[in-house]
Amino acid sequence: MLNDEIRKKREELNKSIEENRDYDYIYKISVELDELIADFYREEEVEGQIAVNR
């Protein structure tokens, strides 16, 4: 499920930042997280579950 993937990717991003990993690696993980979040919202929109004022 996307929620789990987002949580894992967020943890990976946070860990890489804490460990002062290479900028390019952090950026790559950040972009992957952004894509997962966008997919999540697209899925929610299709299902009609996005509230106007969440």
Side-chain angles (χ1 to χ4, degrees):
M1 194 162 184
L2 276 174
N3 282 336
D4 292 333
E5 291 179 56
I6 290 169
R7 182 186 51 77
K8 289 176 186 174
K9 191 60 69 174
R10 185 177 292 128
E11 289 172 1
E12 183 180 356
L13 176 61
N14 289 338
K15 184 177 178 184
S16 66
I17 292 169
E18 289 170 4
E19 293 174 348
N20 292 317
R21 297 282 306 259
D22 179 64
Y23 173 81
D24 291 333
Y25 179 79
I26 292 172
Y27 181 78
K28 176 183 171 285
I29 300 303
S30 179
V31 169
E32 291 172 3
L33 176 59
D34 289 347
E35 290 171 355
L36 288 171
I37 292 169
D39 289 345
F40 174 82
Y41 279 108
R42 272 190 225 101
E43 214 173 77
E44 291 290 309
E45 188 173 37
V46 167
E47 294 174 7
Q49 294 179 0
I50 292 184
V52 173
N53 293 318
R54 260 195 186 175

